[in-house]
Amino acid sequence: MSVKEIGLRIVFFIVFLSIYILGNAYIIYRVMHDLKLHGLALTIFITFYLAITFLSVYSFKISRFNSPTISAKILTEIGYIWLGIFSISLTYLLISHLAFIFGHTPKFRYNTTLITVILIAVSSVYSIINTCGDPKVREYEIKVPNLPVDKLSIVQLSDIHIDVTTKYDTVKRIVEITNSLNPDIIAFVGDLADTDITKTYEKYGLLDFKSKYGTFAVSGNHEYYRGITNYEFVCDKIGFKLLNNENVLVDDKFYVAGITDPTSIQMNYKPLNVAKSLENIDFSKPVIFLSHQPNPFFESQKYPITIQLSGHTHAGQIPPFDIIEYFLYKYFCGLYKDSDSYIYVTTGTRWWGPPMRLFSKSEIVKIDLVKTSN
């Protein structure tokens, strides 16, 4: 690990810890003060809140273990959920604080905070329920004038984020749904795992993906956090063609190109290079461009690519990240067309951290490129 990387991690930790401590202090104050908690009710609230807050921090430590016990997995799940509830709570309470512009009486503060707490509870429960079950299958059709076949079916996967709490059957179900869509190619655009799966990849059914032309992949930012060499090893074992700033001509019909994640620059490891990834391409043929993050589309669309497939944003998952990322990313989630090129930014096949989604669903995306004479 380089000095620069260590420095970035220290800065991130300090910023995160500061926000977490100040945010929790604010939440405790608002609930305690506005709802007029005292006596036994106050004691129970403070004790429970501080205990679960400590647990959520500890869950990060547990999540680094490669073989945690069942109890550790449960604690990690609880900790992740609490981090999600914290995020929603802080967002809602800060927004509701604006209401105090219109009134400062104790009754007004009580009613405002009580309604906010109820909304937090409803949103948190719904966010958890919203991640249950299979990912939603979304299907799109794009007309492509230079397609050498009548139809080319792509299934796009991203952000599976296998961690210590992920069940084997959960990933096997993703593989099963993907295969049922009969893809010509599978495009995986990064963030496969947040734990070491070099010895367990077979148990997740990752060897069972089936498609006509194979599975093509690029790295995501989490691949670098958990060890890019581990990801390269797993891709090789499960038959993913990993594209590091390169392209491949498939069956003399179309190209698949891909770049490394921008995080590779920080790690000084095969820094992303859009131009290099598109070298020696015959652009009279369709080009499918893979990039974990959507922002490289600003550069890739300068070339006559057919479509860029990306992930990373998760559509924010929960507040305030959905709000922040909506303004942070021009291509936030969904299908966009700019000039003559398309980009699809998936919400992700699963999620990261808290198993929670408020305004989005996890998804598996099928995109049919259809030949047109125009």
Side-chain angles (χ1 to χ4, degrees):
M1 187 181 298
S2 67
V3 174
K4 182 179 179 181
E5 183 185 354
I6 294 173
L8 288 171
R9 291 196 176 192
I10 291 174
V11 170
F12 173 81
F13 177 75
I14 292 173
V15 171
F16 171 80
L17 190 61
S18 299
I19 293 173
Y20 196 60
I21 292 173
L22 293 174
N24 278 304
Y26 172 75
I27 293 171
I28 290 173
Y29 171 78
R30 279 288 304 275
V31 173
M32 178 181 66
H33 177 267
D34 295 356
L35 299 186
K36 303 183 185 303
L37 298 182
H38 59 275
L40 181 60
L42 178 60
T43 301
I44 293 174
F45 169 69
I46 294 293
T47 302
F48 172 80
Y49 194 97
L50 292 179
I52 199 73
T53 298
F54 172 79
L55 178 63
S56 68
V57 175
Y58 183 62
S59 69
F60 275 101
K61 181 177 178 63
I62 297 176
S63 68
R64 295 288 180 178
F65 299 164
N66 289 329
S67 301
T69 62
I70 294 177
S71 59
K73 291 181 180 181
I74 293 172
L75 289 176
T76 301
E77 191 87 6
I78 293 172
Y80 275 142
I81 290 173
W82 183 251
L83 284 174
I85 294 173
F86 161 77
S87 179
I88 293 173
S89 300
L90 183 60
T91 305
Y92 282 21
L93 286 169
L94 285 172
I95 292 174
S96 70
H97 206 115
L98 298 175
F100 298 154
I101 297 172
F102 306 101
H104 290 282
T105 65
K107 183 177 181 181
F108 184 83
R109 291 184 69 99
Y110 179 89
N111 290 333
T112 299
T113 302
L114 180 61
I115 292 171
T116 303
V117 169
I118 293 171
L119 288 174
I120 289 169
V122 172
S123 296
S124 297
V125 171
Y126 174 77
S127 295
I128 296 169
I129 294 173
N130 199 31
T131 61
C132 296
D134 294 336
K136 182 178 179 62
V137 175
R138 300 190 191 277
E139 300 189 41
Y140 298 86
E141 185 177 286
I142 297 175
K143 297 186 183 303
V144 179
N146 60 339
L147 198 67
V149 293
D150 290 333
K151 185 174 74 170
L152 182 68
S153 293
I154 308 165
V155 171
Q156 178 186 5
L157 305 173
S158 180
D159 300 282
I160 295 178
H161 288 286
I162 297 170
D163 62 27
V164 296
T165 68
T166 306
K167 297 180 177 62
Y168 298 133
D169 286 345
T170 299
V171 182
K172 287 180 180 178
R173 180 59 181 156
I174 291 170
V175 175
E176 181 183 340
I177 295 172
T178 299
N179 292 342
S180 72
L181 296 173
N182 298 313
D184 291 315
I185 71 167
I186 298 170
F188 180 72
V189 292
D191 284 3
L192 177 63
D194 289 316
T195 190
D196 184 359
I197 61 169
T198 54
K199 296 180 181 178
T200 57
Y201 60 86
E202 292 183 70
K203 296 180 180 180
Y204 292 101
L206 293 173
L207 288 166
D208 298 330
F209 281 114
K210 292 180 175 62
S211 60
K212 184 175 181 179
Y213 298 113
T215 301
F216 301 85
V218 290
S219 58
N221 54 311
H222 283 248
E223 266 71 67
Y224 295 92
Y225 302 154
R226 295 301 295 158
I228 185 63
T229 54
N230 286 349
Y231 180 59
E232 291 174 334
F233 173 85
V234 171
C235 283
D236 179 65
K237 291 296 183 181
I238 64 179
F240 282 18
K241 171 58 180 174
L242 183 60
L243 300 170
N244 290 318
N245 304 317
E246 58 189 313
N247 64 77
V248 58
L249 177 60
V250 181
D251 200 34
D252 201 35
K253 292 183 173 68
F254 61 93
Y255 290 89
V256 182
I259 56 172
T260 56
D261 185 77
T263 309
S264 62
I265 298 174
Q266 301 171 14
M267 306 295 185
N268 295 316
Y269 186 89
K270 298 179 183 176
L272 74 90
N273 190 325
V274 173
K276 183 179 179 182
S277 71
L278 297 172
E279 274 183 347
N280 303 317
I281 282 183
D282 174 6
F283 285 103
S284 67
K285 293 180 170 65
V287 179
I288 302 161
F289 185 75
L290 309 184
S291 168
H292 177 62
Q293 299 192 34
N295 283 347
F297 188 59
F298 291 110
E299 184 175 353
S300 68
Q301 68 171 308
K302 295 176 184 177
Y303 300 82
I305 66 168
T306 305
I307 188 169
Q308 175 175 314
L309 302 177
S310 298
H312 182 66
T313 69
H314 295 225
Q317 285 192 210
I318 53 175
F321 304 106
D322 47 4
I323 302 170
I324 294 170
E325 291 189 358
Y326 179 80
F327 292 101
L328 186 63
Y329 291 97
K330 179 180 179 180
Y331 308 104
F332 173 58
C333 71
L335 183 66
Y336 304 84
K337 184 179 182 182
D338 209 324
S339 301
D340 292 324
S341 298
Y342 289 87
I343 178 173
Y344 190 87
V345 183
T346 175
T347 61
T349 310
R350 289 185 71 246
W351 55 82
W352 175 84
M356 303 171 74
R357 283 187 178 274
L358 186 54
F359 298 115
S360 65
K361 287 283 293 184
S362 298
E363 63 183 22
I364 293 174
V365 183
K366 182 182 182 184
I367 299 175
D368 288 332
L369 303 183
V370 179
K371 184 177 182 179
T372 177
S373 57
N374 296 325

